[in-house]
Amino acid sequence: MTTVATTVEINYRKAIARALADALATDERVVFLGEDVGAAGGAFKATEGLKERFGDRVRDTPIAEQAIVGTAIGAALMGLRPVAEIMFADFAGVCFDQIVNSLAKYRYTTGGQVSVPVTIRMANGAGAGFGPQHSQQAENWFLNVPGLKIVVPGTVEDLYGLLRSAIRDDDPVLVFEHKNLFGVKGRLPAEPDDAYLVPLGVASVVRPGTDITIVAAQQMRHRALAAAAQLEGDGISAEVIDPRTLVPFDLDTVAESLGRTSRLLVVQEGPPDGGWGATLVARVAAEHFELLDAAPALLAGDRTPVPYATPLEDAWLPDAARIRAEAARIVRY
Amino acid sequence: MTTVATTVEINYRKAIARALADALATDERVVFLGEDVGAAGGAFKATEGLKERFGDRVRDTPIAEQAIVGTAIGAALMGLRPVAEIMFADFAGVCFDQIVNSLAKYRYTTGGQVSVPVTIRMANGAGAGFGPQHSQQAENWFLNVPGLKIVVPGTVEDLYGLLRSAIRDDDPVLVFEHKNLFGVKGRLPAEPDDAYLVPLGVASVVRPGTDITIVAAQQMRHRALAAAAQLEGDGISAEVIDPRTLVPFDLDTVAESLGRTSRLLVVQEGPPDGGWGATLVARVAAEHFELLDAAPALLAGDRTPVPYATPLEDAWLPDAARIRAEAARIVRY
Amino acid sequence: MTDELLDLLRRMHEIRFFEDTVKDWFTRALVRGSTHLYQGQEAVAVGVCAALRPGDTTTCTYRGHGTVLAQGAPLDRAFGEILGKANGLCRGKGGSMHLTDLSVGALGSFAIVGAHLPISAGAAWAAQLLGTGAVSVTFFGDGAANIGTFHETLNMASTWKLPVLFVIENNLYGEYSPIASTTANPVLIDRAPGYGMPGVRVDGNDVIAVRDTAREAVARARAGAGPTLIEAMTYRQLGHSRSDPAKYRPAGELESWLARDPITIAEQWLRSLGVSDADLDKLRDDAAATVRDAADRAMSWPDPDPAERFEDVLA
Amino acid sequence: MTDELLDLLRRMHEIRFFEDTVKDWFTRALVRGSTHLYQGQEAVAVGVCAALRPGDTTTCTYRGHGTVLAQGAPLDRAFGEILGKANGLCRGKGGSMHLTDLSVGALGSFAIVGAHLPISAGAAWAAQLLGTGAVSVTFFGDGAANIGTFHETLNMASTWKLPVLFVIENNLYGEYSPIASTTANPVLIDRAPGYGMPGVRVDGNDVIAVRDTAREAVARARAGAGPTLIEAMTYRQLGHSRSDPAKYRPAGELESWLARDPITIAEQWLRSLGVSDADLDKLRDDAAATVRDAADRAMSWPDPDPAERFEDVLA
Ligand SMILES: Cc1ncc(C[n+]2csc(CCOP(=O)(O)OP(=O)(O)O)c2C)c(N)n1
Ligand SMILES: Cc1ncc(C[n+]2csc(CCOP(=O)(O)OP(=O)(O)O)c2C)c(N)n1
Ligand SMILES: [Mg+2]
Ligand SMILES: [Mg+2]
């Protein structure tokens, strides 16, 4: 990534509006629709200024997620590159059929007559006290559905770079923006700059280490880094990998790391079964068994919905202390 | 299971109607609703005679899956035990929100004020030429959602016993009836007989063996058994386990088997990522690593939607030959 | 008549003070997450619930404090839930958006727009099958009238002649969207004929008018004549949620609605029935005190033990 | 006029013979899975498509062979898809329920009831934004009018004044359910006012009436006046799908509709315009021959190679 361009500090929330603005400004085929995304600037105030600047290409919709996603698909078939916002990722349940049966399968079912460049943005994740129906890790609902790409940016730079790459991509991409990271800060170029695009399907080694490989995304990536710092004090060198994209998953980067560390800890927000963490552990066990000197581990949320009360939700989410302890256990295995 | 009672031969399709009839006859709180389930006897003719016999307790609905599931939930809150039919499991996408956000979470969100004994039946699976939107393994969409139980009967006896147990259970249960097994035959008691109930959460060792453990459900269970018979000719003794229930999963039975075989092959219909097969492989690797003498393997459908044309769909589904070859490879590992 | 109306006014006061307290807690960050307040809409919940009898049930939205209280849920345990206390209505697992009290027939507050409509239809179906004569009421917003479950549920409930009331709390806005910007025909009762059911618009700030409209619909439902669509015209005096300053309102709109505050209107009724200002003030002050005591009690309760999070998933 | 009508009749003949061939294949188990035939409803698709111009688009249901052909998809590749051939419209990946030909504007046949309505709305949105003047048409059944996407899409399309036609193929049944058993008010155009859009009922077996109704709606859409709900009254002459004997029909119903077969009605029109029986017979026989040749061609094509299943998932 070039660093010549002058950069500005910006938070995750504003980086969303920035990425959308740059996408709308650099490609007139890009359009954006969702509930209160225009006049109101978004329920999370993450899309402010877009309506004023891009007019009709930014549309407020009724509360009708099935219509929102279906409309995006139809517009994409006609050559546009729609970005649809589903406010909270939990609401993907309401338009699950459109995403899974229409969007993901359209290209295949028609024998490749057309591709469907739809990007769907949604706010996922727990930790902010929104309760069971507004805190889910819906990214795990779509793993078994071929035809979708899924990204989970954990930093300002990845949010900007992946969202813009998603909009440029010819395939459907689900972009999960973690609602508990909206305040995280980072730096972006002052002007639109393609050098800041982050390719889909490429993990990032965010901390090098030699004793254990910790794979974690979004909120858990930050907690894993905190744990890694503590582990250093324990004399354990942890490598932290942020997959950034869940589908297609960059298994090579993880395998390459395991070649050095021989130990794997996957930290996943959300219940363990059927999630990307279990999928990764299974693939490593099946495809790279001989790299492992210890049982691979998955540290995840509990097998319960996300509770509301602070002490319950805090306990539900893996924290740095539990990541540190689990990593230490594995290294001592 | 007692075998004193006289039994009759019956196929999987008719066993569905039989289980529903016995449930309706033995518990007046049981009600049944769905599209064309009454007057027409069901799209698969699997519910014939119920409307005539149970009248108002069997209701034909409009084409409105969200209303169907929501109505079942509301009726359950009032003390009934509704059974809802979602014709093809693929349509669970349309009512995904009701299943995931309302049904699965109601008990938890209300602090356990009430349980929600709703049973949802759906026809899942590939192999019959129904194409991408009518052949999915939707059981894999719900694994990451705590609050649901999931059963996947592969025989007449399990279909009857699990469906009846599901209706008796106080929690929400999703019952997946494999559309490619409707012709499979088995034996049921002539009269309703509780001895034929099959407990939720208990796997069954359907073929004992010593060299490798093959875990497979529904259509794949039958193909795994065929492969196991061939493997015997190859001098390989394969143990075949049918989990029957996916949530809660009977890991103990699998671990107990691995204690003898030390080798695991999971055969799962449907794409591999985010499925129950990957979840099982991950749990075995994490919780029973030392039992494994070879890399565990997952043989699954391709990472594509289910294609329509016979040669494509046949190749998409793992068959006995591939199961046999994969098992042999693992044993020789 | 006077006594009943006094009782309805007391309930409205309690809800108003309850919501003011919650607002204060949220602005003081004593509670996290999100909250959606009911100030200005009290007459809808209180008026409709006045037409119900024990055994009848309701469902409502994330903006549901008022409805659950109108049905008789205890103030302190409702506060406790919002505070995430172990003794909250839902043991602290649901929070502000999920107040539920089955013991009074409040089947719950739902945070997914439209999700609860079929659930009330299901409760009505059970009543129909069991012959209990119970009626279900589902409260939802004008914006929710545009989502799929509205359509599916109204058609099915009407086809089955279910004893259910569909009560639209039309407060003129979705989150921040004026109804006309999202709804082709903003007269929502114009949809009723398509479902073969009666549709009635009522002044949602006049608790008597609401109660009378609901009584008729309830009678119709109990008689087996099926559902009614009620559109109660009201106004959300505060923003959509804690974080919303509601700048999008046209000038003067809020003021004109504040002049028609449901509590003011009920007090006018009572004065016209000869109730003295002193009695009205006492009623208000008693309600304030009741709510304050409940809030203090709830505040004093312990947090749930982290281990409790594993409970209540399955039976 | 006569020439155009002759052309419409030819298309209806081709669709009829096409469907008869598919029926024969399925009964002879030359094809697996499921199929849903269009015999008796030809005038709806042919009449509506006659009002369209190049660039306009359609979506339809699993009962979509007629619509896709009416828009101009090649007979042989449509047959090929149903046979699962490598040269089928969708390379054998979709099958009978998914015939699609974007090159003629047939955006697809959808097997999930209601799923395609918003997709046509999206195509209309693109036309509105790009100023192409194109119009979208979405065909769906009476039963589909009860599912959520119908409601969400009609309201949004009307609010945005999208150039889209919502065409209900009201053939009086869902799969096996008479409309009255699932629909509180079976007059589906009564729902149009709720969405602030015009609703028109038309004789779906009279291709001229359908074409004229569609023309008006298309003109309205192109003029920027927004969507129209068209309810075309027609009849499904065969069962819902291959396996359905349709025993549930009242006696005489089928006969009375067969007497109003859309092809018969079109032929009557043409006779009244002076076309001879001989010419009409020749038209029919030519269509039969065209369809037969296309079927033979498709039959002769190779199956896809199993490795092709990995293609077309992603761009
Ligand atoms: C399915 C779904 N979509 C979107 C939301 C986000 N949301 C919460 S409240 C709201 C506005 C609802 O407006 P209305 O129905 O009028 O109810 P009000 O808030 O005015 O009482 C929206 C869009 C949601 N909770 N669920
Ligand atoms: C969401 C969904 N629910 C149910 C079905 C099963 N199904 C296929 S066709 C059909 C009946 C549709 O009736 P109608 O809309 O009148 O269309 P028609 O078949 O009469 O042309 C049903 C219920 C489906 N495909 N999708
Ligand atoms: Mg509102
Ligand atoms: Mg029909």
Side-chain angles (χ1 to χ4, degrees):
Chain A
M1 180 189 296
T2 165
T3 49
V4 190
T6 55
T7 62
V8 294
E9 190 185 68
I10 184 172
N11 68 24
Y12 193 94
R13 176 196 312 274
K14 288 189 167 7
I16 295 170
R18 173 63 195 281
L20 291 170
D22 290 358
L24 283 154
T26 54
D27 184 345
E28 63 194 4
R29 297 169 304 170
V30 175
V31 294
F32 176 44
L33 78 168
E35 294 157 12
D36 288 305
V37 297
F44 297 105
K45 298 280 168 279
T47 61
E48 279 177 335
L50 298 176
K51 179 78 185 170
E52 295 69 8
R53 184 168 164 201
F54 299 100
D56 247 12
R57 291 166 61 200
V58 176
R59 282 282 173 101
D60 286 318
T61 69
I63 305 169
E65 283 77 10
Q66 297 187 86
I68 291 169
V69 175
T71 298
I73 296 169
L77 298 181
M78 297 292 98
L80 296 179
R81 296 188 161 261
V83 179
E85 171 172 309
I86 300 299
M87 199 180 292
F88 283 77
D90 312 69
F91 312 157
V94 177
C95 49
F96 193 82
D97 170 70
Q98 284 293 332
I99 298 173
V100 164
N101 288 323
S102 297
L103 181 59
K105 294 176 175 51
Y106 188 91
R107 189 173 202 284
Y108 193 77
T109 304
T110 62
Q113 290 182 45
V114 66
S115 38
V116 193
V118 169
T119 299
I120 303 180
R121 300 175 36 246
M122 359 190 188
N124 67 325
F130 280 94
Q133 291 184 336
H134 280 62
S135 306
Q136 295 172 84
Q137 300 71 29
E139 59 272 24
N140 291 318
W141 298 349
F142 298 95
L143 302 172
N144 196 243
V145 181
L148 301 170
K149 294 174 179 173
I150 302 178
V151 301
V152 286
T155 67
V156 163
E157 293 76 8
D158 287 344
L159 180 281
Y160 178 87
L162 288 168
L163 178 50
R164 289 209 55 198
S165 294
I167 297 170
R168 280 209 189 172
D169 197 76
D170 285 335
D171 291 311
V173 185
L174 308 184
V175 178
F176 292 89
E177 299 159 355
H178 200 291
K179 69 174 76 68
N180 225 20
L181 297 178
F182 281 174
V184 170
K185 291 201 164 48
R187 299 197 71 83
L188 291 180
E191 297 302 316
D193 181 347
D194 288 2
Y196 282 76
L197 263 62
V198 173
L200 304 181
V202 180
S204 136
V205 179
V206 295
R207 186 186 207 279
T210 55
D211 299 332
I212 185 169
T213 301
I214 302 178
V215 182
Q218 295 192 308
Q219 184 165 232
M220 292 301 122
R221 161 215 168 109
H222 296 281
R223 297 185 178 192
L225 282 171
Q230 298 166 359
L231 284 161
E232 189 155 13
D234 309 338
I236 294 175
S237 166
E239 178 148 301
V240 178
I241 295 178
D242 182 346
R244 304 196 295 186
T245 299
L246 298 182
V247 182
F249 196 93
D250 180 3
L251 189 62
D252 294 349
T253 296
V254 173
E256 196 267 331
S257 170
L258 288 172
R260 285 191 303 277
T261 66
S262 311
R263 285 168 158 72
L264 175 67
L265 171 60
V266 180
V267 186
Q268 178 206 270
E269 186 177 323
D273 305 327
W276 67 264
T279 302
L280 173 57
V281 169
R283 289 192 65 187
V284 167
E287 300 172 39
H288 299 287
F289 194 64
E290 48 309 309
L291 289 179
L292 296 169
D293 287 350
L298 170 61
L299 184 58
D302 300 316
R303 288 184 172 92
T304 80
V306 179
Y308 164 75
T310 306
L312 302 183
E313 187 179 31
D314 287 352
W316 192 91
L317 283 169
D319 60 12
R322 282 167 61 197
I323 298 170
R324 174 191 191 173
E326 184 69 359
R329 182 189 65 73
I330 296 166
V331 170
R332 289 197 213 84
Y333 182 91
Chain B
M1 175 190 296
T2 164
T3 50
V4 191
T6 54
T7 61
V8 293
E9 189 183 69
I10 182 172
N11 68 22
Y12 193 93
R13 176 195 313 273
K14 288 190 164 15
I16 295 169
R18 173 61 194 282
L20 291 169
D22 290 356
L24 284 154
T26 53
D27 185 345
E28 65 194 4
R29 297 169 304 170
V30 176
V31 293
F32 176 45
L33 78 168
E35 295 157 10
D36 288 306
V37 298
F44 298 105
K45 300 276 167 279
T47 60
E48 279 178 334
L50 298 176
K51 179 78 186 169
E52 294 71 5
R53 184 167 164 200
F54 299 101
D56 246 12
R57 291 166 62 200
V58 176
R59 280 282 172 103
D60 286 317
T61 69
I63 305 170
E65 282 78 9
Q66 297 188 87
I68 291 169
V69 175
T71 298
I73 295 169
L77 298 181
M78 297 291 98
L80 297 179
R81 298 191 159 258
V83 180
E85 171 173 308
I86 300 298
M87 200 181 291
F88 283 77
D90 312 69
F91 312 157
V94 177
C95 50
F96 193 81
D97 170 69
Q98 284 293 334
I99 297 173
V100 164
N101 289 322
S102 297
L103 180 59
K105 294 176 175 52
Y106 189 91
R107 189 174 202 284
Y108 193 77
T109 305
T110 61
Q113 290 183 44
V114 66
S115 29
V116 192
V118 168
T119 300
I120 303 180
R121 300 176 35 245
M122 354 189 192
N124 68 325
F130 280 95
Q133 291 185 337
H134 279 62
S135 305
Q136 294 171 87
Q137 300 72 29
E139 58 272 24
N140 291 317
W141 298 348
F142 298 95
L143 301 172
N144 196 244
V145 181
L148 301 171
K149 295 175 179 174
I150 302 177
V151 301
V152 286
T155 67
V156 163
E157 293 76 7
D158 288 343
L159 179 282
Y160 179 86
L162 289 168
L163 178 50
R164 288 210 54 199
S165 294
I167 297 171
R168 280 208 188 171
D169 196 76
D170 284 335
D171 291 310
V173 185
L174 308 184
V175 179
F176 291 89
E177 299 159 356
H178 200 291
K179 69 174 75 68
N180 226 19
L181 296 179
F182 281 173
V184 169
K185 290 201 165 47
R187 300 197 70 83
L188 291 179
E191 297 302 316
D193 182 345
D194 289 1
Y196 282 76
L197 264 62
V198 173
L200 305 180
V202 180
S204 124
V205 178
V206 295
R207 186 186 208 279
T210 55
D211 300 331
I212 183 168
T213 301
I214 303 178
V215 181
Q218 294 191 309
Q219 186 166 227
M220 291 302 121
R221 160 216 168 109
H222 296 282
R223 296 184 179 193
L225 282 172
Q230 299 166 359
L231 284 162
E232 188 155 14
D234 309 337
I236 295 174
S237 163
E239 177 148 305
V240 178
I241 296 179
D242 181 346
R244 304 196 294 188
T245 299
L246 298 182
V247 182
F249 196 94
D250 180 3
L251 189 61
D252 295 347
T253 295
V254 174
E256 195 267 332
S257 171
L258 288 172
R260 285 191 303 278
T261 66
S262 311
R263 284 167 159 71
L264 174 66
L265 170 62
V266 179
V267 186
Q268 178 206 271
E269 185 177 324
D273 305 328
W276 67 265
T279 303
L280 174 57
V281 169
R283 290 193 66 187
V284 167
E287 300 172 40
H288 299 287
F289 193 64
E290 47 309 309
L291 290 179
L292 296 170
D293 287 351
L298 170 60
L299 183 59
D302 300 316
R303 287 184 174 91
T304 80
V306 179
Y308 164 76
T310 307
L312 302 183
E313 187 179 32
D314 287 352
W316 191 93
L317 283 170
D319 60 13
R322 283 167 61 198
I323 298 170
R324 174 191 191 176
E326 185 67 0
R329 182 188 65 74
I330 297 166
V331 171
R332 287 197 214 85
Y333 181 91
Chain C
M1 167 68 176
T2 307
D3 286 359
E4 190 199 351
L5 185 47
L6 282 168
D7 190 56
L8 302 186
L9 176 60
R10 182 184 50 73
R11 283 187 175 284
M12 292 198 284
H13 275 308
E14 287 177 0
I15 293 169
R16 177 70 55 93
F17 288 122
F18 184 95
E19 295 294 67
D20 291 344
T21 308
V22 174
K23 177 171 189 286
D24 171 61
W25 286 350
F26 268 89
T27 29
R28 285 163 51 208
L30 290 176
V31 195
R32 296 181 315 154
S34 178
T35 191
H36 310 80
L37 301 171
Y38 203 63
Q39 286 97 332
Q41 306 183 200
E42 294 90 348
V44 180
V46 171
V48 170
C49 290
L52 302 181
R53 73 184 187 200
D56 295 337
T57 63
T58 62
T59 59
C60 57
T61 75
Y62 47 84
R63 194 181 304 287
H65 307 165
T67 310
V68 174
L69 293 173
Q71 251 200 309
L75 290 157
D76 53 2
R77 296 196 59 212
F79 273 133
E81 186 58 31
I82 292 165
L83 289 166
K85 299 295 192 177
N87 193 31
L89 284 172
C90 306
R91 307 185 65 196
K93 292 186 175 150
S96 167
M97 294 200 283
H98 295 289
L99 298 187
T100 304
D101 186 352
L102 267 89
S103 68
V104 297
L107 300 187
S109 312
F110 293 76
I112 305 292
V113 164
H116 55 300
L117 276 68
I119 292 172
S120 276
W125 184 40
Q128 184 184 65
L129 283 168
L130 301 170
T132 62
V135 165
S136 309
V137 182
T138 179
F139 296 85
F140 54 95
D142 45 286
N146 291 331
I147 202 163
T149 50
F150 169 90
H151 181 65
E152 296 190 4
T153 308
L154 267 72
N155 175 63
M156 191 161 112
S158 185
T159 306
W160 291 10
K161 297 229 170 301
L162 296 179
V164 54
L165 274 56
F166 297 97
V167 179
I168 305 176
E169 300 169 312
N170 188 341
N171 59 13
L172 313 187
Y173 291 90
E175 291 200 340
Y176 320 106
S177 302
I179 182 168
S181 70
T182 59
T183 312
N185 175 356
V187 181
L188 298 174
I189 50 168
D190 285 354
R191 299 173 178 186
Y195 303 115
M197 73 172 74
V200 191
R201 248 193 190 198
V202 59
D203 177 352
N205 284 18
D206 180 343
V207 70
I208 305 268
V210 172
R211 182 203 59 191
D212 294 349
T213 304
R215 275 190 182 155
E216 232 177 89
V218 167
R220 199 169 172 280
R222 288 207 213 280
T228 301
L229 178 63
I230 296 175
E231 184 177 14
M233 305 307 296
T234 183
Y235 195 73
R236 199 187 64 203
Q237 293 181 356
L238 298 173
H240 166 67
S241 64
R242 169 173 56 138
S243 53
D244 171 25
K247 290 217 191 61
Y248 43 81
R249 288 173 175 152
E253 186 181 79
L254 174 61
E255 295 63 25
S256 71
W257 279 96
L258 287 176
R260 304 200 60 263
D261 187 296
I263 289 179
T264 316
I265 292 175
E267 288 180 332
Q268 283 160 358
W269 270 103
L270 281 157
R271 284 202 196 79
S272 72
L273 291 165
V275 179
S276 72
D277 288 0
D279 289 352
L280 291 175
D281 294 348
K282 178 168 188 318
L283 184 80
R284 186 194 60 238
D285 299 344
D286 291 352
T290 309
V291 171
R292 211 179 307 108
D293 296 349
D296 295 343
R297 263 197 309 285
M299 276 283 197
S300 74
W301 288 336
D303 287 339
D305 181 290
E308 291 178 29
R309 73 186 189 277
F310 295 111
E311 300 166 8
D312 304 325
V313 179
L314 296 173
Chain D
M1 167 65 179
T2 307
D3 286 358
E4 189 199 350
L5 185 47
L6 282 168
D7 190 54
L8 301 186
L9 176 59
R10 182 183 51 72
R11 283 187 173 284
M12 290 200 285
H13 274 310
E14 286 176 2
I15 293 169
R16 178 70 55 93
F17 287 123
F18 184 97
E19 295 294 66
D20 290 344
T21 307
V22 174
K23 177 171 190 283
D24 171 61
W25 286 350
F26 268 87
T27 27
R28 283 161 52 206
L30 292 175
V31 195
R32 296 182 315 155
S34 176
T35 192
H36 310 79
L37 302 170
Y38 203 62
Q39 286 98 330
Q41 305 183 202
E42 295 89 348
V44 181
V46 171
V48 170
C49 290
L52 302 181
R53 72 185 186 199
D56 295 337
T57 63
T58 62
T59 60
C60 57
T61 73
Y62 47 83
R63 194 182 304 286
H65 306 164
T67 311
V68 174
L69 293 172
Q71 252 202 308
L75 289 158
D76 53 2
R77 296 197 58 212
F79 272 134
E81 187 57 31
I82 293 167
L83 289 165
K85 299 294 192 178
N87 193 33
L89 284 172
C90 305
R91 306 186 64 195
K93 291 183 176 151
S96 167
M97 295 200 283
H98 295 290
L99 297 188
T100 304
D101 186 352
L102 267 88
S103 68
V104 298
L107 300 187
S109 312
F110 293 76
I112 305 291
V113 164
H116 55 301
L117 276 70
I119 291 171
S120 276
W125 184 40
Q128 185 184 64
L129 284 168
L130 301 170
T132 62
V135 165
S136 310
V137 182
T138 178
F139 296 86
F140 53 96
D142 45 285
N146 290 332
I147 201 162
T149 51
F150 168 90
H151 181 67
E152 296 189 5
T153 308
L154 267 72
N155 175 62
M156 191 160 113
S158 184
T159 306
W160 292 10
K161 296 229 171 301
L162 296 179
V164 53
L165 274 57
F166 297 98
V167 180
I168 305 176
E169 301 170 311
N170 188 341
N171 59 14
L172 312 187
Y173 291 89
E175 290 201 340
Y176 321 105
S177 301
I179 182 167
S181 70
T182 59
T183 313
N185 175 355
V187 182
L188 298 175
I189 51 169
D190 286 353
R191 299 173 178 186
Y195 303 115
M197 74 171 76
V200 192
R201 248 194 191 198
V202 60
D203 177 352
N205 284 17
D206 179 345
V207 71
I208 305 269
V210 172
R211 182 203 59 189
D212 295 348
T213 304
R215 275 189 182 155
E216 235 178 86
V218 167
R220 197 168 174 280
R222 287 205 215 282
T228 301
L229 177 63
I230 296 174
E231 184 177 13
M233 305 307 294
T234 182
Y235 195 73
R236 200 186 63 202
Q237 291 182 356
L238 297 172
H240 165 67
S241 64
R242 171 171 57 136
S243 52
D244 171 26
K247 291 220 189 61
Y248 43 81
R249 289 172 174 151
E253 185 180 78
L254 173 61
E255 295 64 25
S256 71
W257 279 94
L258 287 176
R260 303 200 61 264
D261 186 297
I263 289 178
T264 316
I265 292 175
E267 288 180 331
Q268 283 159 359
W269 270 104
L270 281 156
R271 282 201 198 81
S272 72
L273 291 166
V275 179
S276 72
D277 287 2
D279 289 352
L280 290 175
D281 292 350
K282 178 165 188 320
L283 183 81
R284 187 195 58 237
D285 298 345
D286 291 351
T290 310
V291 171
R292 211 178 307 108
D293 295 349
D296 294 344
R297 262 197 311 285
M299 277 283 198
S300 74
W301 289 335
D303 286 338
D305 180 289
E308 292 178 30
R309 74 186 187 277
F310 295 111
E311 300 167 7
D312 304 324
V313 179
L314 296 172

